[in-house]
Amino acid sequence: MKAAIIVFPGTNRERDMALALHRATGRRPLMLWHAEAALPRGLDLAVLAGGFSYGDYLRCGAMAAHSPIMRAVREFAARGGHVLGVCNGFQILCEAGMLPGALLRNASLRFLSMDCHMRVERSDTAFTRRFPPGAVFRATMAHGDGNYFADTATLDRLEGEGLVALRYVTPAGEATPEANRNGAARNIAGIYSENLRVMGLMPHPENQVDPEIDGTDGLPLFQSLADSLVAA
Amino acid sequence: MTDAPSPLPSDRAAQLAAEFGLKPDEYERVLAILGRAPSLTELGIFSVMWSEHCSYKSSRVWLRELPTKAPWVIQGPGENAGVIAIGEGLAAVFKMESHNHPSFIEPYQGAATGVGGILRDVFTMGARPVANLNALRFGDPKLPLTRRILDGVVRGIGGYGNCVGVPTVGGEVNFHPAYNGNPLVNAMTVGIARADRIFYARATGVGNPVVYVGSKTGRDGIHGATMASAEFSADSEEKRPTVQIGDPFSEKLLIEACMELMETDAIVAIQDMGAAGLTSSSVEMAGKGGMGIELDLDAVPQRESGMTAYEMMLSESQERMLMILKPGREAEAERIFRKWELDFAVIGRLTDSGRIVIRHQGRVEADIPLAPLESEAPLYRRPTAETPKPPVLDAASVPDPVGIPAALERLVACPDLCSRRWIWDQYDSMVGGQTAKRPGAADAAVVRIEDHARALALTTDCTPRYCAADPEEGGKQAVAEAWRNITAVGATPLAITDNMNFGNPEKPEIMGQFAAAVRGMAAACAALDFPVVSGNVSLYNETEGRAILPTPAIGGVGVLERVTQAVGLALPPGCELVLVGETRGWLGQSLWLREIAGREEGAPPPVDLAAERRNGEFVRARILAGAVRACHDCSDGGLLVAVAEMAMASGAGAVLEAPPAGLPPHAFWFGEDQGRYVLAVAEAAPLLAAARAAGVPAARLGRSTAEGALVLPDGRSISVASLRAAHEATLPALMEGG
Amino acid sequence: MKARVTVMPKAGVLDPEGKAIGRALAGLGFQGVDEVRAGKVFELDLAETDPAKARAVAEEMARKLLANTVIESFRVEVG
Amino acid sequence: MKARVTVMPKAGVLDPEGKAIGRALAGLGFQGVDEVRAGKVFELDLAETDPAKARAVAEEMARKLLANTVIESFRVEVG
Ligand SMILES: Nc1ncnc2c1ncn2[C@@H]1O[C@H](COP(=O)(O)OP(=O)(O)O)[C@@H](O)[C@H]1O
Ligand SMILES: [Mg+2]
């Protein structure tokens, strides 16, 4: 699998993401600076990593969404390429119109840095096939603006078309209000694009890939990608 | 071009010197050095360089007593940060710094810029910052002002640290009314560098370019005294705040750009622009190298129009650095800084004149010989008055008014012992993917070094109520507790940074506290092989004549060869519990005494440094031998609080054994004797035998269970879940309860 | 020419900040505050001197960057 | 009665957000943007019906809560 992480000014979880991809695939991903106008040939996966692109000023992800490279990412996705956006990356994908909805301030108006549990809503996508159906896994969340919002029609469409990827749940798997710390609509932690090839999520599974650090709950996501995107 | 600065009229100069805080004899020295009256810019430079903050004039004579050497020390105090070797050719670079006053004026920005400043001190030496910690003291938690400051400070630390992507992995918080008008915000940064690639601030090479990088210069933070005097701000439409605003986004770019340039060999010397920005960075870099320096302020990137030389030299705008480059390397460096969208300007040259010469708009605004600026800087051995030693409190003379279970429930919920989760939940502690022990998980935070098995153990400690009662014992205890916390995760303590927060040094009793605290710290550093490699002094922490508690905050750094060796404090069920160290039931200055008996008195617990070292080395060896499942030191609240903290962290319970006869139970369970650890092990017997052989006091304390209750020797049982609920509720109720 | 772009959360979009401020104002003893909406304002110094053109430019800036029309509406004033 | 409180960074105070937005606008090809200042606006629905009193109340709210007068200045409009 050939993966590239896109680095914007202010991106800060690109190293974490590179470690996770390396662990799952045995290969170090490329790092691409946002000012590049094109993606490398033969790319399988483009990753928008977490952080504070442009300082999170204005709205999280708004300025990065207009970077030169985002046009290339959009075209890559249109051609069927896989794109993963985590945290700030998810915010960028929404601001760029590649995923529906928006991420508002956390309902508590505070930055939330803590563990959360997520339920895998379908385990038949390139991002989730290593998870057993209905799997619940733990990940770090670290964001100030993770409160997913979309209008009712959009939310209904996401649910109806199976495009909700992950929901905040209790460790036992229940989507309760207490499990939904940032106030996201319908406990949504992550969503897919219509063709299931673009995924955005707020928490950081890349921080749970190493038994020496904090367990390997997040590893199946990266292993799924490695399995799905075996390429020349 | 006129090549001599225009002196101020002499009466005006003398009056301004006083306003800028120069004492009459200090001003006489300025006149002697220059041989004439100073220009406004020159006076500004002298006043900031000779301020307490930059010159350490009251504290220097005492700080010399601190041990600063060890075979692993690469750079002790005197540079931007301390540097120690941590094995495998790696170095840890770290320092702690205060932003107390700014955090009182504007808590969010004060704390945020404090984090930004200490980060720069570390990455300026070539180290990538890998962890932040913070030591905080606030006033009475019942006051709305305290809550407002706490809220702003925590948001500010998170706002800056989270954005730059450096995990905040630990810290400490105390409350006491002595901090009502004077909170303490001490921030520590730890970075990792290659030991053979440290960058220093020593400028060399006549003709080498002086380069300014980072954000533009504005009129931020120019000291209050000057701003109040309207003559120097002709266009003062509104009273300008002296508050500095942090821009963590620019800092992140500055870190990356500096790291990229440091991969080349273009840099001769580099220093961040901290307090007194351009002045202190240029004076110190040239001074350290025995050089002269010429600056052309027209080239300085400016955010505002019409700035004077005086304003530019004193501005404390954030996110700026000054570098000396090798000749001809400007273009290469400029390309890197432009890529990261930062300002870059060549603003001067090194000379062999030994003078700092500042030009602006065709005029020489300052021309000062550098050697006397440093060598003639004031140095005071201020009078000291010793704090009278309080009498030792006899534990048997203090009755227990509430019983053990009730006291425990109250203690774990009191502001000084309650869970800090509400705080650390706002700090990104995981970014970087290397945090193996995050806040609350262990006595020290544990952060692995990327691409290595090796890890750092990090902590900050100080118990101000001990320091107030007996500054010498308190200083000793602060160092010992940091050493103990690092030991308790299995790491080898290597060195400390300190942040000396005290009141007005012109008062003999305050200077006495300072001198005694240093004496205690020095004794502990020497006995524990735990030298001081960097630090910061913050004096005049007083409001309306009332000083804060003396607070020598210690930041400790240790190393583990393998991150997998680290143990946490969460108690697993099915273990035996062993108490290492001697228990005498010391209630003087304990939290039990304050919270339960309502008394703040007595001598603080003494630290027996030989026992401290012996006990700690024993515990560390057992941990590294893989024999320990969990470990926690006994500190605030004593033994039963330590056991409760271990139980609350896992949800397990414990059945505890009877205390030795002769001690009142409340003194046994809540006394704060030093040098003690609680260990959870599979089997107590081998540990006890080894302790006996090593001459280390150790006793079986009980066993841990899967039932979530602490069962006391008399059979009374305390629910761990309800303890935890009380422990967790305090800060949220205080801060969100409305 | 100066332009001011005001960006507010759309009706129907959660405004947690506005709500929190409403509560805080009540906590401070301010009565009779029915609703609070919290938004952003951008003051732009434009080289453009023609008011109509300045407005058109500012509106384009708002559409392209300053507002996210999924959740926000905007208003432009010039002068 | 409606009141609008606009809160801006004081003159001379660094406005990192405004600075970043200015850069981004230039990156999007907008020329002739000299300066951008980013502030906040609060729209309040007050029970008060007297304009002078409403203004006085809104000003007090701004001083007490909505603006941080150490680094921000504010402006109140009613009606
Ligand atoms: N300001 C803070 N920021 C981050 N973590 C903190 C802060 N204050 C306390 N902590 C964390 O809370 C835990 C308990 O702190 P403390 O009671 O001071 O520990 P100890 O007594 O073992 O030194 C530690 O993990 C510490 O790092
Ligand atoms: Mg401690």
Side-chain angles (χ1 to χ4, degrees), chain A residues 57-102:
Chain A
Y57 297 135
L58 184 57
R59 288 180 314 279
C60 304
M63 294 190 238
H66 290 98
S67 286
I69 204 159
M70 283 307 291
R71 178 171 312 175
V73 172
R74 204 177 282 115
E75 287 165 8
F76 173 70
R79 289 196 309 270
H82 285 82
V83 179
L84 173 65
V86 172
C87 198
N88 193 226
F90 185 16
Q91 295 163 339
I92 295 170
L93 289 172
C94 289
E95 281 283 344
M98 292 176 62
L99 289 173

CSV table of all heavy atoms in Angstrom, one decimal, chain A residues 57-102:
chain,number,residue,atom,x,y,z
A,57,TYR,N,-7.6,28.8,13.4
A,57,TYR,CA,-8.3,30.1,13.3
A,57,TYR,C,-9.4,30.1,12.3
A,57,TYR,O,-9.5,29.2,11.4
A,57,TYR,CB,-7.2,31.2,12.9
A,57,TYR,CG,-6.1,31.3,14.0
A,57,TYR,CD1,-4.7,31.3,13.6
A,57,TYR,CD2,-6.4,31.3,15.3
A,57,TYR,CE1,-3.7,31.5,14.5
A,57,TYR,CE2,-5.3,31.5,16.3
A,57,TYR,CZ,-4.0,31.5,15.8
A,57,TYR,OH,-3.0,31.6,16.8
A,58,LEU,N,-10.3,31.0,12.5
A,58,LEU,CA,-11.5,31.2,11.6
A,58,LEU,C,-12.4,30.0,11.9
A,58,LEU,O,-13.4,30.2,12.7
A,58,LEU,CB,-11.1,31.2,10.1
A,58,LEU,CG,-12.3,31.5,9.2
A,58,LEU,CD1,-13.1,32.7,9.5
A,58,LEU,CD2,-11.9,31.5,7.7
A,59,ARG,N,-12.3,28.9,11.3
A,59,ARG,CA,-13.0,27.6,11.7
A,59,ARG,C,-12.0,26.5,11.4
A,59,ARG,O,-11.2,26.5,10.5
A,59,ARG,CB,-14.2,27.4,10.8
A,59,ARG,CG,-15.4,28.3,10.9
A,59,ARG,CD,-16.5,27.9,10.0
A,59,ARG,NE,-16.0,27.7,8.6
A,59,ARG,CZ,-15.8,28.6,7.7
A,59,ARG,NH1,-16.0,29.9,8.1
A,59,ARG,NH2,-15.3,28.4,6.5
A,60,CYS,N,-12.1,25.5,12.3
A,60,CYS,CA,-11.2,24.4,12.1
A,60,CYS,C,-11.2,23.8,10.7
A,60,CYS,O,-12.3,23.4,10.2
A,60,CYS,CB,-11.5,23.3,13.1
A,60,CYS,SG,-11.5,23.8,14.8
A,61,GLY,N,-10.1,23.7,10.0
A,61,GLY,CA,-10.0,23.1,8.7
A,61,GLY,C,-10.4,24.0,7.6
A,61,GLY,O,-10.2,23.7,6.4
A,62,ALA,N,-10.9,25.2,7.9
A,62,ALA,CA,-11.4,26.1,6.8
A,62,ALA,C,-10.3,26.5,5.8
A,62,ALA,O,-10.5,26.5,4.6
A,62,ALA,CB,-12.2,27.3,7.3
A,63,MET,N,-9.2,26.9,6.4
A,63,MET,CA,-8.2,27.5,5.5
A,63,MET,C,-7.4,26.3,4.8
A,63,MET,O,-7.1,26.4,3.6
A,63,MET,CB,-7.2,28.3,6.3
A,63,MET,CG,-7.9,29.6,6.8
A,63,MET,SD,-6.8,30.8,7.5
A,63,MET,CE,-7.5,31.0,9.2
A,64,ALA,N,-7.2,25.2,5.5
A,64,ALA,CA,-6.6,24.1,4.9
A,64,ALA,C,-7.4,23.6,3.7
A,64,ALA,O,-6.8,23.1,2.7
A,64,ALA,CB,-6.3,23.0,5.9
A,65,ALA,N,-8.7,23.7,3.8
A,65,ALA,CA,-9.6,23.1,2.8
A,65,ALA,C,-9.3,23.8,1.4
A,65,ALA,O,-9.6,23.3,0.4
A,65,ALA,CB,-11.1,23.3,3.2
A,66,HIS,N,-8.7,25.0,1.5
A,66,HIS,CA,-8.4,25.8,0.3
A,66,HIS,C,-7.0,25.6,-0.2
A,66,HIS,O,-6.6,26.3,-1.1
A,66,HIS,CB,-8.8,27.2,0.5
A,66,HIS,CG,-10.3,27.5,0.6
A,66,HIS,ND1,-10.9,27.6,1.8
A,66,HIS,CD2,-11.2,27.5,-0.4
A,66,HIS,CE1,-12.2,27.8,1.6
A,66,HIS,NE2,-12.4,27.7,0.3
A,67,SER,N,-6.2,24.8,0.4
A,67,SER,CA,-4.8,24.6,0.0
A,67,SER,C,-4.7,24.1,-1.4
A,67,SER,O,-5.6,23.3,-1.8
A,67,SER,CB,-4.1,23.6,0.9
A,67,SER,OG,-3.9,24.2,2.2
A,68,PRO,N,-3.6,24.4,-2.1
A,68,PRO,CA,-3.5,23.9,-3.4
A,68,PRO,C,-3.7,22.3,-3.5
A,68,PRO,O,-4.3,21.8,-4.4
A,68,PRO,CB,-2.0,24.2,-3.7
A,68,PRO,CG,-1.7,25.4,-2.9
A,68,PRO,CD,-2.5,25.2,-1.6
A,69,ILE,N,-3.2,21.6,-2.5
A,69,ILE,CA,-3.2,20.2,-2.6
A,69,ILE,C,-4.6,19.6,-2.5
A,69,ILE,O,-4.9,18.5,-2.9
A,69,ILE,CB,-2.3,19.5,-1.6
A,69,ILE,CG1,-1.8,18.1,-2.0
A,69,ILE,CG2,-2.9,19.4,-0.2
A,69,ILE,CD1,-0.6,17.6,-1.4
A,70,MET,N,-5.5,20.4,-1.9
A,70,MET,CA,-6.8,19.8,-1.7
A,70,MET,C,-7.6,19.6,-3.0
A,70,MET,O,-8.4,18.7,-3.1
A,70,MET,CB,-7.7,20.7,-0.8
A,70,MET,CG,-7.3,20.5,0.7
A,70,MET,SD,-7.3,18.8,1.3
A,70,MET,CE,-9.0,18.4,1.2
A,71,ARG,N,-7.2,20.4,-4.0
A,71,ARG,CA,-7.8,20.1,-5.4
A,71,ARG,C,-7.4,18.7,-5.8
A,71,ARG,O,-8.2,17.9,-6.3
A,71,ARG,CB,-7.4,21.2,-6.4
A,71,ARG,CG,-8.0,20.9,-7.8
A,71,ARG,CD,-7.7,22.1,-8.6
A,71,ARG,NE,-8.1,23.3,-8.0
A,71,ARG,CZ,-7.8,24.5,-8.4
A,71,ARG,NH1,-7.2,24.7,-9.6
A,71,ARG,NH2,-8.2,25.6,-7.8
A,72,ALA,N,-6.1,18.4,-5.6
A,72,ALA,CA,-5.6,17.1,-6.1
A,72,ALA,C,-6.3,16.0,-5.2
A,72,ALA,O,-6.6,14.9,-5.8
A,72,ALA,CB,-4.1,17.1,-5.9
A,73,VAL,N,-6.5,16.2,-4.0
A,73,VAL,CA,-7.1,15.2,-3.1
A,73,VAL,C,-8.5,15.0,-3.6
A,73,VAL,O,-9.0,13.8,-3.7
A,73,VAL,CB,-7.1,15.6,-1.6
A,73,VAL,CG1,-7.9,14.7,-0.8
A,73,VAL,CG2,-5.6,15.7,-1.1
A,74,ARG,N,-9.2,16.0,-3.9
A,74,ARG,CA,-10.6,15.9,-4.4
A,74,ARG,C,-10.7,15.1,-5.7
A,74,ARG,O,-11.5,14.2,-5.8
A,74,ARG,CB,-11.2,17.3,-4.6
A,74,ARG,CG,-12.7,17.3,-4.5
A,74,ARG,CD,-13.3,18.7,-4.6
A,74,ARG,NE,-13.2,19.5,-3.4
A,74,ARG,CZ,-12.5,20.6,-3.3
A,74,ARG,NH1,-11.8,21.0,-4.3
A,74,ARG,NH2,-12.4,21.2,-2.2
A,75,GLU,N,-9.7,15.4,-6.6
A,75,GLU,CA,-9.7,14.6,-7.8
A,75,GLU,C,-9.4,13.1,-7.6
A,75,GLU,O,-9.9,12.2,-8.2
A,75,GLU,CB,-8.7,15.2,-8.8
A,75,GLU,CG,-9.2,16.6,-9.4
A,75,GLU,CD,-8.1,17.4,-10.0
A,75,GLU,OE1,-6.9,16.8,-10.2
A,75,GLU,OE2,-8.3,18.5,-10.4
A,76,PHE,N,-8.4,12.9,-6.7
A,76,PHE,CA,-8.0,11.6,-6.3
A,76,PHE,C,-9.2,10.8,-5.8
A,76,PHE,O,-9.5,9.7,-6.2
A,76,PHE,CB,-6.9,11.7,-5.2
A,76,PHE,CG,-6.5,10.4,-4.6
A,76,PHE,CD1,-5.7,9.5,-5.3
A,76,PHE,CD2,-6.8,10.1,-3.3
A,76,PHE,CE1,-5.3,8.3,-4.8
A,76,PHE,CE2,-6.4,8.9,-2.7
A,76,PHE,CZ,-5.6,8.0,-3.4
A,77,ALA,N,-10.0,11.4,-4.9
A,77,ALA,CA,-11.2,10.8,-4.4
A,77,ALA,C,-12.2,10.5,-5.5
A,77,ALA,O,-12.9,9.5,-5.5
A,77,ALA,CB,-11.8,11.6,-3.3
A,78,ALA,N,-12.4,11.5,-6.4
A,78,ALA,CA,-13.3,11.3,-7.5
A,78,ALA,C,-13.0,10.2,-8.4
A,78,ALA,O,-13.8,9.5,-8.9
A,78,ALA,CB,-13.4,12.6,-8.3
A,79,ARG,N,-11.7,9.9,-8.5
A,79,ARG,CA,-11.2,8.8,-9.3
A,79,ARG,C,-11.3,7.5,-8.5
A,79,ARG,O,-10.9,6.4,-9.0
A,79,ARG,CB,-9.8,9.0,-9.7
A,79,ARG,CG,-9.5,10.0,-10.7
A,79,ARG,CD,-8.1,9.9,-11.4
A,79,ARG,NE,-7.0,9.8,-10.4
A,79,ARG,CZ,-6.4,10.9,-9.9
A,79,ARG,NH1,-6.7,12.1,-10.3
A,79,ARG,NH2,-5.4,10.7,-9.0
A,80,GLY,N,-11.8,7.5,-7.3
A,80,GLY,CA,-12.0,6.3,-6.5
A,80,GLY,C,-10.9,6.0,-5.5
A,80,GLY,O,-10.8,5.0,-4.9
A,81,GLY,N,-10.0,7.0,-5.3
A,81,GLY,CA,-8.9,6.9,-4.3
A,81,GLY,C,-9.5,6.9,-2.9
A,81,GLY,O,-10.6,7.4,-2.6
A,82,HIS,N,-8.7,6.3,-2.0
A,82,HIS,CA,-9.2,6.2,-0.6
A,82,HIS,C,-8.5,7.4,0.2
A,82,HIS,O,-7.4,7.7,0.0
A,82,HIS,CB,-8.7,4.9,0.1
A,82,HIS,CG,-9.6,3.8,-0.3
A,82,HIS,ND1,-9.4,3.1,-1.5
A,82,HIS,CD2,-10.7,3.2,0.3
A,82,HIS,CE1,-10.4,2.1,-1.6
A,82,HIS,NE2,-11.1,2.2,-0.6
A,83,VAL,N,-9.4,8.0,1.0
A,83,VAL,CA,-8.9,9.2,1.8
A,83,VAL,C,-9.4,9.0,3.2
A,83,VAL,O,-10.5,8.6,3.5
A,83,VAL,CB,-9.5,10.5,1.3
A,83,VAL,CG1,-9.1,11.7,2.1
A,83,VAL,CG2,-9.1,10.7,-0.2
A,84,LEU,N,-8.5,9.2,4.2
A,84,LEU,CA,-8.8,9.1,5.6
A,84,LEU,C,-8.5,10.4,6.2
A,84,LEU,O,-7.4,11.0,6.1
A,84,LEU,CB,-7.9,8.0,6.3
A,84,LEU,CG,-8.0,7.9,7.8
A,84,LEU,CD1,-9.4,7.5,8.2
A,84,LEU,CD2,-6.9,6.9,8.3
A,85,GLY,N,-9.5,11.0,6.9
A,85,GLY,CA,-9.3,12.2,7.6
A,85,GLY,C,-9.6,12.0,9.1
A,85,GLY,O,-10.7,11.6,9.5
A,86,VAL,N,-8.6,12.3,9.9
A,86,VAL,CA,-8.7,12.1,11.3
A,86,VAL,C,-8.7,13.5,12.0
A,86,VAL,O,-7.8,14.3,11.8
A,86,VAL,CB,-7.6,11.2,11.9
A,86,VAL,CG1,-7.6,11.2,13.4
A,86,VAL,CG2,-7.7,9.8,11.3
A,87,CYS,N,-9.7,13.7,12.9
A,87,CYS,CA,-9.7,14.9,13.7
A,87,CYS,C,-9.7,16.2,12.8
A,87,CYS,O,-10.6,16.4,12.1
A,87,CYS,CB,-8.6,14.9,14.7
A,87,CYS,SG,-8.9,16.1,16.1
A,88,ASN,N,-8.6,16.9,12.8
A,88,ASN,CA,-8.5,18.1,11.9
A,88,ASN,C,-8.7,17.7,10.5
A,88,ASN,O,-9.3,18.4,9.7
A,88,ASN,CB,-7.2,18.8,12.1
A,88,ASN,CG,-7.1,20.2,11.5
A,88,ASN,OD1,-6.2,20.6,10.9
A,88,ASN,ND2,-8.2,21.0,11.7
A,89,GLY,N,-8.3,16.5,10.2
A,89,GLY,CA,-8.4,16.0,8.8
A,89,GLY,C,-9.9,15.8,8.5
A,89,GLY,O,-10.4,16.1,7.3
A,90,PHE,N,-10.7,15.3,9.4
A,90,PHE,CA,-12.2,15.2,9.2
A,90,PHE,C,-12.8,16.6,9.0
A,90,PHE,O,-13.6,16.8,8.1
A,90,PHE,CB,-12.7,14.5,10.5
A,90,PHE,CG,-14.2,14.2,10.4
A,90,PHE,CD1,-15.0,14.2,9.3
A,90,PHE,CD2,-14.9,13.8,11.6
A,90,PHE,CE1,-16.3,13.9,9.3
A,90,PHE,CE2,-16.2,13.5,11.7
A,90,PHE,CZ,-16.9,13.5,10.5
A,91,GLN,N,-12.3,17.5,9.9
A,91,GLN,CA,-12.8,18.9,9.7
A,91,GLN,C,-12.5,19.5,8.4
A,91,GLN,O,-13.3,20.1,7.7
A,91,GLN,CB,-12.2,19.8,10.8
A,91,GLN,CG,-12.6,19.4,12.3
A,91,GLN,CD,-11.7,19.9,13.3
A,91,GLN,OE1,-10.6,20.3,13.1
A,91,GLN,NE2,-12.3,20.0,14.6
A,92,ILE,N,-11.3,19.2,7.9
A,92,ILE,CA,-10.9,19.7,6.5
A,92,ILE,C,-11.8,19.1,5.5
A,92,ILE,O,-12.3,19.8,4.5
A,92,ILE,CB,-9.4,19.4,6.3
A,92,ILE,CG1,-8.5,20.2,7.3
A,92,ILE,CG2,-9.0,19.8,4.8
A,92,ILE,CD1,-7.1,19.7,7.2
A,93,LEU,N,-12.0,17.8,5.6
A,93,LEU,CA,-12.9,17.1,4.5
A,93,LEU,C,-14.3,17.7,4.5
A,93,LEU,O,-14.9,17.9,3.5
A,93,LEU,CB,-12.9,15.6,4.8
A,93,LEU,CG,-11.6,14.8,4.6
A,93,LEU,CD1,-11.7,13.4,5.1
A,93,LEU,CD2,-11.3,14.9,3.1
A,94,CYS,N,-14.8,18.0,5.7
A,94,CYS,CA,-16.2,18.7,5.7
A,94,CYS,C,-16.1,20.1,5.1
A,94,CYS,O,-16.9,20.4,4.3
A,94,CYS,CB,-16.7,18.7,7.1
A,94,CYS,SG,-17.2,17.1,7.8
A,95,GLU,N,-15.1,20.8,5.5
A,95,GLU,CA,-15.0,22.2,5.0
A,95,GLU,C,-14.7,22.2,3.5
A,95,GLU,O,-15.2,23.1,2.8
A,95,GLU,CB,-13.8,22.9,5.7
A,95,GLU,CG,-14.1,23.5,7.1
A,95,GLU,CD,-15.0,24.7,7.0
A,95,GLU,OE1,-15.1,25.4,5.9
A,95,GLU,OE2,-15.6,25.1,8.0
A,96,ALA,N,-14.1,21.1,3.0
A,96,ALA,CA,-13.8,21.0,1.6
A,96,ALA,C,-15.0,20.5,0.8
A,96,ALA,O,-15.0,20.4,-0.4
A,96,ALA,CB,-12.6,20.2,1.3
A,97,GLY,N,-16.1,20.1,1.5
A,97,GLY,CA,-17.3,19.6,0.9
A,97,GLY,C,-17.1,18.2,0.4
A,97,GLY,O,-17.9,17.6,-0.3
A,98,MET,N,-16.0,17.5,0.9
A,98,MET,CA,-15.9,16.1,0.5
A,98,MET,C,-16.7,15.1,1.4
A,98,MET,O,-16.9,14.0,1.0
A,98,MET,CB,-14.4,15.7,0.5
A,98,MET,CG,-13.6,16.4,-0.6
A,98,MET,SD,-11.8,16.1,-0.5
A,98,MET,CE,-11.8,14.3,-0.8
A,99,LEU,N,-17.1,15.6,2.5
A,99,LEU,CA,-18.0,14.9,3.4
A,99,LEU,C,-19.0,15.9,3.8
A,99,LEU,O,-18.8,17.1,4.0
A,99,LEU,CB,-17.2,14.3,4.6
A,99,LEU,CG,-16.3,13.2,4.4
A,99,LEU,CD1,-15.5,12.8,5.7
A,99,LEU,CD2,-17.0,11.9,3.9
A,100,PRO,N,-20.3,15.4,4.1
A,100,PRO,CA,-21.3,16.3,4.4
A,100,PRO,C,-21.2,16.8,5.9
A,100,PRO,O,-20.6,16.1,6.7
A,100,PRO,CB,-22.6,15.5,4.2
A,100,PRO,CG,-22.2,14.1,4.4
A,100,PRO,CD,-20.7,14.0,4.0
A,101,GLY,N,-21.9,17.9,6.2
A,101,GLY,CA,-22.0,18.3,7.6
A,101,GLY,C,-20.8,19.2,8.0
A,101,GLY,O,-20.1,19.7,7.2
A,102,ALA,N,-20.8,19.4,9.3
A,102,ALA,CA,-19.8,20.3,9.9
A,102,ALA,C,-19.5,19.9,11.3
A,102,ALA,O,-20.3,19.2,11.9
A,102,ALA,CB,-20.2,21.8,9.8
